[in-house]
Amino acid sequence: MQQLVDQIEKIDFQSEIYKDAYSRINAIVIEGEQEAHENYITLAQLLPAQEKELIVLSKMESRHKKGFEACGRNLKVNPDLEFAKKFFLGLHDNFQAAAKEGKVVTCLLIQSLIIECFAIAAYNIYIPVADDFARKITEGVVKEEYSHLNFGEVWLQENFTKETKAELEEANRQNLPLVWKMLNQVADDAKVLAMEKDALVEDFMIQYGEALSNIGFTTRDIMRLSAYGLVA
Ligand code: Y39
Ligand code: FE
Ligand code: FE
Ligand code: FE
């Protein structure tokens, strides 16, 4: 705790090094919220019975995007959106390909489990080390991200069969290694913001493992699935 207090006191939110790192992390979050907005609209088309609920989630995502844009402006940072688009390309393409084939289970795994858990981990780790303005925004956002994760958990739990289980395993195999790659790509910038990679990995694994457990996977499955592709 004292360590955290010392660390926060040292953060200079207006230093060039902080603002440079923030230009990429802030852009990733803005782009991520935009993609999440679009993904929930696509999911609404794939799941007509949940259309209204999913449109509500998509609207939350655009509000999140506006909130994080305000965080960047507040620090006078220009988000590097070109970098962020490339950052999400792998997950973006896999989501699009799955949607085209009507693979709703894969789409839910990518957006409502993987991306939401990544967001929850990142926001939880960011909140204690954020500037006052961004902290208030992020606290409001993370509460809603839990409800997005919950949507995916409930749907996948209610539809858990041999077939959906197999599709989840395959989608996990294709997409989880991308998350570890993404995390490595931002580790240095995250560190400048006082967010440790180990803490991000740990929080992600806890959220993701809990989600898989709620859906119906065994502990043994979860161990195998949640560390898939994790190298360093
Ligand atoms: O569902 C959502 O709102 C998720 C899209 C938002 C993505 C957040 C991505 C966070 C990654 C940040 C990495 C910082 C270390
Ligand atoms: Fe969001
Ligand atoms: Fe979300
Ligand atoms: Fe989100």
Side-chain angles (χ1 to χ4, degrees):
M1 187 64 202
Q2 189 54 42
Q3 211 185 337
L4 186 61
V5 171
D6 293 345
Q7 202 178 19
I8 294 165
E9 279 175 354
K10 271 192 300 200
I11 300 175
D12 178 356
F13 300 107
Q14 279 306 315
S15 69
E16 281 315 310
I17 175 157
Y18 189 93
K19 288 173 66 174
D20 175 61
Y22 205 84
S23 73
R24 285 177 295 278
I25 303 267
N26 182 234
I28 284 168
V29 170
I30 291 167
E31 173 64 22
E33 296 293 355
Q34 174 64 32
E35 299 222 2
H37 166 74
E38 292 165 16
N39 290 349
Y40 281 114
I41 291 174
T42 302
L43 280 162
Q45 291 160 355
L46 291 170
L47 293 170
Q50 274 86 25
E51 183 183 356
K52 284 216 176 69
E53 200 179 337
L54 286 160
I55 294 301
V56 170
L57 302 194
S58 85
K59 286 180 179 157
M60 286 180 191
E61 303 294 20
S62 24
R63 279 199 304 276
H64 297 171
K65 178 187 176 190
K66 291 199 180 80
F68 290 121
E69 285 171 337
C71 294
R73 278 196 303 273
N74 180 248
L75 293 180
K76 300 188 174 61
V77 165
N78 267 326
D80 186 346
L81 294 169
E82 208 179 305
F83 169 83
K85 253 201 144 50
K86 284 191 212 127
F87 182 80
F88 273 105
L89 202 58
L91 289 180
H92 174 91
D93 287 353
N94 288 354
F95 184 95
Q96 293 303 318
K100 229 174 126 188
E101 292 177 58
K103 292 172 99 173
V104 64
V105 170
T106 300
C107 288
L108 281 172
L109 178 116
I110 295 173
Q111 174 59 47
S112 299
L113 301 190
I114 288 187
I115 298 181
E116 297 295 352
C117 286
F118 193 22
I120 289 168
Y123 299 162
N124 278 339
I125 303 298
Y126 177 54
I127 285 168
V129 294
D131 64 85
D132 290 340
F133 182 86
R135 183 181 316 112
K136 284 189 195 82
I137 302 263
T138 311
E139 280 169 348
V141 168
V142 76
K143 282 189 199 128
E144 298 192 333
E145 305 301 4
Y146 282 106
S147 77
H148 304 172
L149 171 59
N150 186 256
F151 176 89
E153 283 175 358
V154 168
W155 195 93
L156 290 166
Q157 185 265 322
E158 286 174 350
N159 293 274
F160 198 60
T161 62
K162 222 177 130 209
E163 286 72 36
T164 62
K165 188 175 178 225
E167 187 175 333
L168 285 169
E169 298 227 9
E170 174 59 17
N172 181 80
R173 209 173 57 76
Q174 285 186 354
N175 292 285
L176 202 59
L178 296 177
V179 173
W180 303 132
K181 217 179 84 190
M182 290 160 85
L183 215 66
N184 281 332
Q185 267 180 59
V186 285
D188 290 344
D189 286 330
K191 176 119 178 105
V192 173
L193 274 53
M195 299 163 70
E196 294 291 338
K197 183 188 157 191
D198 287 356
L200 290 162
V201 171
E202 185 182 308
D203 209 272
F204 176 87
M205 296 266 255
I206 291 169
Q207 306 299 335
Y208 193 58
E210 248 176 48
L212 294 174
S213 165
N214 291 338
I215 289 164
F217 283 98
T218 63
T219 306
R220 196 185 170 83
D221 287 335
I222 294 164
M223 293 294 163
R224 187 170 45 82
L225 288 169
S226 61
Y228 190 85
L230 180 64
V231 263

